[in-house]
Amino acid sequence: MRKNTSLCSGLSFLLALFLAVPAVWAQAPAKPSAAKVLQDLKKLNVLGSVLYVAAHPDDENTRLIAYFANEKLYNTGYLAVTRGDGGQNLIGPEIREGLGLIRTQELLQARRTDGGKQFFTRANDFGFSKNPEETFTIWDKEQVLSDMVYVIRKFRPDVMVTRFPPDARAGHGHHSASAILAEEAFDAAADPKRFPEQLKFVDVWQPKRLLWNTGIWSFGSQAEFDKYVNELLKIDVGVYNPLLGKSYGEIAAESRSMHKSQGFGSSGSRGTALEYLKYTKGDKASKELFEGINTTWSRVKGGERVEKLIQKAIDTYSPAAPATVVPTLIAAKKELDKLPEGYWKRVKQEELQDVLQEAMGLYIEVTANDYAATPGQPVTLKVEAINRSAVPVSLQSIRYSFASSDTTLNKQLPNNKPFTYSATVTLPQGMPYSQPYWLRKAGTVGMFAVENQQEVGMPENAPAAQATFTLQVSDQPLQLSVPVVYKRTDPVEGEVYRPFVVTPPVFVNLLESVYMFASQEPKQVQVLVKSGKDNVTGNVQLQLPQGWRAEPASVPFDLKTKGAEQPATFTVYPPQGQQEAVLKAVASVSGKNYTQGLHVINYSHIPAQVTLPEATAKIVKLELQKNGQNVGYVMGAGDEIPISLQQIGYNVTLLKEEDMRLSRLQQFDAIILGVRAYNTVDRLRFYQPALLDYVKNGGNLIVQYNTNHNLVLPNIAPYPLQLSRDRVTVEDADVRLLQPNHPVLNTPNKITAKDFEGWVQERGLYFPNEWSNEYQAILSSNDPGEPAREGGLLIAPYGKGNYIYTGYSWFRELPAGVPGAYRLFANLISLGQHTAPAATSSKNSGQK
Ligand SMILES: [Zn+2]
């Protein structure tokens, strides 16, 4: 992790913030070793930059990034088009925005490890997409392109590298889209007629060349690859860096292992390892990636004087006494400050300030007495500054980003004598809340809404509060900025840092995001009111649309201390008929309304994250009948279906080891296996006989999607069934009823086309593509231009019961409150409850 510095020049302050991306957001102050100081010294004499482009967090080649950043010492960036909101989460319950936030932080940790900088666009990862045409119907292509252009114009890469080709070999529509956009942005960034509104903040920029970081994987076979290998640029990235004590393969593994939510733990590699780059656009390079690109100080007019002094610092550097280079670095800083304003001047001023601080062992930190505070409230800040060198340093003043004046100190910082200082400051009333900038306004399925052009591309918000230290080092003024952070000592983890955030004075949290009303029965809706400061009193109420009613109309609350909570329970009465609507919780305090909740995401591998989601929930009145009452559930990879079923009145039991015998299973009207149960629950291979006996005895077993990779047993069904990768990704793709008279489409709910309206993200995934005659295929659907996929809902009578295999995305639709999905899922559970199981002789045999 690195500290943050910023420039004093007002003109370049915003650019400086942008450039300092990985530094600004690290929470704990850096503690660089002497080897790292030398590494950073050497980087001061390299003026080259490279931008890697792909679609998701985890797409990036961390080995190549680590090599560019640490071996070639280029300014190295990774532009991930999305934050990975649409993926799965292996470490916790967060999905969508919450997952995007986790994966953003995982990327930042990865970059802190491999030395790169991180950028994003406003595109939202809406889930799997088969091709770029589909992707661009959901993303606003022009907006995403604009964001990519903005990042290029700001970061000014000499070379751009894509992870993917612009075609089907990329394997995912977002992947090919990222390459298509990179090719267009490569030209557009240099064209003043494209996105001229950005030119207020940035200049046009033409990268020298664009290449595709390819490999054998994209050529299909070694033989095919060998045909083209001579046309590819090769880089041996398996180099060992003795200053870091690691090879780039080892650094890459550490970086990749940060993608913990994706289960991407990796082991390091040592020794020669080739990366291949295929020419796409711009000037062709015959041997070297940076051929024809000047990466020395001679690319800046007058830069030679800086270069010479930096070289002197490198040549005279002694790891046992890093501070001896400080006078030379100060001389270099003076020369650098004299250069005309420009991109490289700003970048190197930043870096030079960092190296000066590192060489002196100068540690500065500002911690708040709590991790959160509200506008208008006092915060106690503790400053620690210590110079661990013989270089004369004085701390002249500190300025807080939210304060109007400086705090004058004029303190000498003698060698290894800590200076501490504590002050209580009041946050201004108008201070903005720390909601991640891309979540402040509602966006669309495909795009986040970001209004401030200067926030575009940034991985996260600028710190809520910063402290800028004005120092005198020898005879030179130096300004260093650090974020205000919160620090505590955990008995197990030790020192734990987290960002300081600004929040509303009161939070309203709804306990569920969806409330399903399966009948005219009223339901209890609980609001948890929590205070963001001491002594908050007011009342909370529910805002409901016409036809809905809540009792009581409002509930008073009185919260004496910051962090106190008080539940408020309302009884909500639904209207007649089927209806979907939105409920909102509102807290009123002294005539002001507050509608945001508090959501904290806490994992040990990333800094704790806070979001302030609007306290809204979907309320759905369903026309729903159901037979059967008791459901047993075997949790697979993790889904929220049990809660969804409870919401519509089922008794759901999460099954444990001791339940997995026939005598226990028989009490259930249906047994449901959670998503990817046969991929994740090793013991299912022992439970399987009891589950099949349960069906034979008249039970109803519902198996949700599994992948055919790593199944815990070879035959997951009583009759042959072949899983495939067939999926229907278009969420409103037509669904055809193949067996309109089958009970599952009629009892107790009559299923019609209307029940397939309003589905989210996709229809389904990993449908079987072959099955034996015992199964009946009930539904058929497909993406545009693809053959009918009929394996999404298969039912086979087995003994006296029914075996159901279904790849439709119930795990997305039920938690999202999709009425039709509930009606059909209730039919699956009800199958065979009061009617005889279907056993017609007209069977659909498998195709393909
Ligand atoms: Zn990807």
Side-chain angles (χ1 to χ4, degrees):
M1 300 205 193
R2 305 179 65 206
K3 71 203 155 290
N4 141 48
T5 62
S6 84
L7 298 174
C8 39
S9 152
L11 184 83
S12 49
F13 178 71
L14 286 161
L15 283 170
L17 258 186
F18 190 93
L19 292 167
V21 160
V24 171
W25 284 264
Q27 298 307 320
K31 292 163 186 166
S33 67
K36 175 70 167 59
V37 178
L38 180 55
Q39 176 88 0
D40 292 349
L41 262 180
K42 290 181 169 178
K43 185 171 195 280
L44 288 174
N45 266 352
V46 179
L47 283 71
S49 60
V50 55
L51 181 65
Y52 201 90
V53 179
H56 307 115
D58 78 21
D59 286 344
E60 81 278 22
N61 182 342
T62 53
R63 197 168 64 170
L64 197 51
I65 289 173
Y67 172 85
F68 285 148
N70 300 285
E71 181 67 21
K72 304 306 282 186
L73 300 169
Y74 299 140
N75 222 356
T76 305
Y78 173 43
L79 170 57
V81 174
T82 75
R83 296 174 187 270
D85 306 78
Q88 281 143 3
N89 182 357
L90 283 179
I91 57 170
E94 296 83 4
I95 53 165
R96 300 212 163 246
E97 290 87 354
L99 178 60
L101 206 58
I102 291 172
R103 297 184 71 184
T104 295
Q105 293 298 322
E106 290 180 339
L107 270 186
L108 286 172
Q109 294 293 50
R111 295 297 81 79
R112 285 172 193 134
T113 308
D114 60 34
K117 295 176 166 66
Q118 186 59 49
F119 307 105
F120 291 97
T121 77
R122 282 171 286 177
N124 192 340
D125 172 10
F126 55 83
F128 187 78
S129 178
K130 283 177 180 164
N131 55 61
E133 292 74 32
E134 188 210 36
T135 299
F136 289 134
T137 62
I138 299 173
W139 288 352
D140 181 328
K141 188 185 171 191
E142 194 69 359
Q143 265 188 29
V144 187
L145 181 64
S146 158
D147 293 0
M148 206 180 265
V149 164
Y150 192 64
V151 170
I152 293 169
R153 286 171 174 176
K154 268 192 151 170
F155 188 66
R156 297 165 80 92
D158 296 309
V159 172
M160 286 174 60
V161 176
T162 58
R163 166 80 288 192
F164 300 107
D167 50 48
R169 286 172 297 175
H172 187 317
H174 297 172
H175 291 170
S176 352
S178 72
I180 292 169
L181 287 162
E183 287 183 29
E184 292 185 25
F186 181 85
D187 295 328
D191 182 351
K193 292 195 209 70
R194 296 292 272 141
F195 312 110
E197 68 285 358
Q198 297 176 0
L199 300 177
K200 269 191 291 204
F201 310 109
V202 288
D203 288 329
V204 293
W205 179 251
Q206 177 62 68
K208 187 90 162 172
R209 60 182 61 102
L210 172 68
L211 299 100
W212 164 34
N213 178 201
T214 183
I216 294 166
W217 57 274
S218 62
F219 288 85
S221 70
Q222 182 72 47
E224 197 61 20
F225 178 71
D226 289 344
K227 278 193 215 162
Y228 296 95
V229 71
N230 287 333
E231 296 169 24
L232 306 177
L233 279 185
K234 288 169 259 317
I235 306 177
D236 182 0
V237 297
V239 186
Y240 172 67
N241 184 325
L243 288 180
L244 303 175
K246 289 165 190 169
S247 70
Y248 298 113
E250 290 175 314
I251 297 172
E254 289 174 11
S255 174
R256 194 150 185 78
S257 298
M258 292 296 169
H259 295 300
K260 297 192 192 301
S261 69
Q262 308 305 299
F264 274 12
S266 308
S267 291
S269 63
R270 287 153 292 277
T272 296
L274 291 182
E275 287 290 345
Y276 299 93
L277 295 138
K278 189 175 188 303
Y279 171 81
T280 308
K281 242 182 166 165
D283 283 6
K284 222 165 178 170
S286 58
K287 286 211 166 58
E288 294 286 330
L289 184 61
F290 270 63
E291 222 165 85
I293 297 167
N294 183 0
T295 60
T296 72
W297 274 103
S298 62
R299 76 188 289 177
V300 177
K301 196 167 179 291
E304 298 80 2
R305 287 192 298 276
V306 181
E307 183 168 42
K308 257 192 207 130
L309 288 161
I310 301 290
Q311 193 55 50
K312 185 182 163 197
I314 296 167
D315 294 342
T316 58
Y317 182 75
S318 160
T324 53
V325 297
V326 169
T328 314
L329 290 179
I330 296 270
K333 182 177 182 301
K334 284 181 190 163
E335 290 299 334
L336 179 55
D337 290 346
K338 280 187 222 159
L339 297 180
E341 289 306 317
Y343 171 79
W344 281 110
K345 178 182 176 179
R346 290 194 299 270
V347 170
K348 294 299 169 184
Q349 276 178 322
E350 281 273 317
E351 292 178 9
L352 183 50
Q353 292 187 128
D354 281 1
V355 182
L356 268 169
Q357 188 184 352
E358 291 171 1
M360 292 184 285
L362 176 60
Y363 181 97
I364 52 175
E365 126 180 331
V366 180
T367 51
N369 60 332
D370 197 355
Y371 81 88
T374 71
Q377 289 296 299
V379 181
T380 301
L381 298 176
K382 197 177 150 204
V383 171
E384 182 185 346
I386 181 166
N387 164 27
R388 290 168 293 181
S389 74
V391 178
V393 178
S394 72
L395 171 54
Q396 306 199 300
S397 62
I398 301 176
R399 190 182 68 238
Y400 300 109
S401 53
F402 53 83
S404 50
S405 61
D406 290 14
T407 306
T408 305
L409 293 161
N410 286 327
K411 288 278 172 200
Q412 292 299 318
L413 298 180
N415 192 352
N416 210 30
K417 295 273 187 298
F419 167 74
T420 57
Y421 164 84
S422 182
T424 300
V425 293
T426 300
L427 300 183
Q429 286 292 354
M431 217 165 161
Y433 300 144
S434 302
Q435 174 78 329
Y437 75 87
W438 63 99
L439 301 177
R440 279 187 210 127
K441 287 237 152 67
T444 62
V445 175
M447 298 300 296
F448 290 113
V450 177
E451 284 170 348
N452 180 356
Q453 175 68 53
Q454 286 164 287
E455 284 180 318
V456 166
M458 288 169 58
E460 60 179 345
N461 290 11
Q466 281 203 97
T468 301
F469 288 63
T470 300
L471 302 142
Q472 190 78 19
V473 176
S474 298
D475 62 340
Q476 269 293 298
L478 184 71
Q479 289 203 316
L480 301 172
S481 295
V482 292
V484 173
V485 293
Y486 172 69
K487 172 171 94 163
R488 69 185 174 88
T489 307
D490 182 272
V492 177
E493 303 288 334
E495 200 170 58
V496 177
Y497 283 84
R498 66 185 287 182
F500 171 75
V501 294
V502 177
T503 72
V506 63
F507 309 105
V508 273
N509 282 306
L510 284 163
L511 297 196
E512 307 286 344
S513 56
V514 175
Y515 292 90
M516 304 299 301
F517 292 78
S519 68
Q520 293 309 124
E521 285 281 300
K523 257 191 137 100
Q524 307 265 293
V525 170
Q526 212 180 55
V527 183
L528 196 61
V529 187
K530 187 181 176 78
S531 59
K533 62 171 190 177
D534 290 346
N535 296 317
V536 187
T537 59
N539 61 71
V540 59
Q541 56 181 19
L542 294 184
Q543 283 181 355
L544 289 157
Q546 195 94 64
W548 297 76
R549 186 165 60 86
E551 277 178 11
S554 81
V555 175
F557 58 83
D558 183 1
L559 303 161
K560 299 273 186 245
T561 55
K562 182 177 178 180
E565 292 178 359
Q566 186 186 319
T569 305
F570 297 87
T571 305
V572 173
Y573 296 84
Q576 299 286 334
Q578 193 153 306
Q579 206 192 102
E580 288 174 66
V582 173
L583 161 161
K584 188 171 190 170
V586 183
S588 303
V589 177
S590 315
K592 243 189 121 179
N593 285 346
Y594 298 92
T595 58
Q596 285 172 292
L598 174 70
H599 182 219
V600 179
I601 298 175
N602 221 336
Y603 292 99
S604 59
H605 69 301
I606 55 171
Q609 297 297 300
V610 166
T611 63
L612 306 166
E614 283 293 315
T616 57
K618 185 174 176 181
I619 42 177
V620 181
K621 169 64 193 316
L622 276 175
E623 290 284 355
L624 180 82
Q625 305 292 321
K626 52 191 203 300
N627 297 330
Q629 195 57 42
N630 298 314
V631 171
Y633 204 89
V634 179
M635 198 47 89
D639 56 65
E640 294 173 39
I641 290 195
I643 298 163
S644 299
L645 295 179
Q646 280 166 352
Q647 283 234 7
I648 56 166
Y650 283 107
N651 300 326
V652 184
T653 305
L654 294 182
L655 299 180
K656 300 192 221 39
E657 178 84 32
E658 60 269 26
D659 298 315
M660 302 309 289
R661 38 201 162 97
L662 186 59
S663 57
R664 295 265 190 118
L665 296 177
Q666 270 176 329
Q667 63 180 300
F668 296 106
D669 299 315
I671 306 282
I672 305 174
L673 302 195
V675 297
R676 298 205 309 284
Y678 286 110
N679 299 125
T680 57
V681 183
D682 208 33
R683 296 196 62 77
L684 264 178
R685 69 176 111 159
F686 305 115
Y687 305 158
Q688 187 76 353
L691 287 170
L692 291 183
D693 281 350
Y694 161 79
V695 181
K696 218 185 250 171
N697 280 278
N700 187 14
L701 180 64
I702 302 169
V703 180
Q704 298 180 77
Y705 93 91
N706 289 273
T707 67
N708 55 11
H709 185 63
N710 289 338
L711 288 167
V712 299
L713 77 171
N715 298 311
I716 60 167
Y719 307 113
L721 183 71
Q722 180 61 48
L723 303 183
S724 79
R725 297 181 63 83
D726 288 353
R727 55 206 294 168
V728 182
T729 60
V730 176
E731 65 268 30
D732 53 5
D734 193 29
V735 180
R736 298 164 294 271
L737 310 183
L738 297 176
Q739 303 289 334
N741 298 322
H742 193 286
V744 84
L745 296 179
N746 293 281
T747 322
N749 303 292
K750 172 83 185 158
I751 300 302
T752 66
K754 196 168 180 302
D755 292 304
F756 296 98
E757 289 173 7
W759 284 46
V760 297
Q761 189 148 338
E762 63 194 349
R763 285 293 185 204
L765 64 175
Y766 299 107
F767 287 0
N769 62 355
E770 282 176 48
W771 50 89
S772 65
N773 288 338
E774 286 84 359
Y775 295 95
Q776 277 189 295
I778 306 295
L779 301 174
S780 170
S781 186
N782 54 274
D783 278 334
E786 295 202 354
R789 309 294 186 197
E790 300 191 344
L793 177 56
L794 299 173
I795 302 182
Y798 179 66
K800 290 184 241 159
N802 285 291
Y803 176 90
I804 304 176
Y805 189 91
T806 178
Y808 279 86
S809 292
W810 311 106
F811 69 106
R812 294 195 198 282
E813 312 309 323
L814 300 193
V818 177
Y822 273 92
R823 286 163 44 82
L824 182 47
F825 205 79
N827 282 9
L828 297 183
I829 294 172
S830 304
L831 191 60
Q833 300 303 332
H834 290 293
T835 50
T840 58
S841 57
S842 74
K843 309 250 167 63
N844 243 48
S845 60
Q847 70 276 68
K848 262 225 218 141

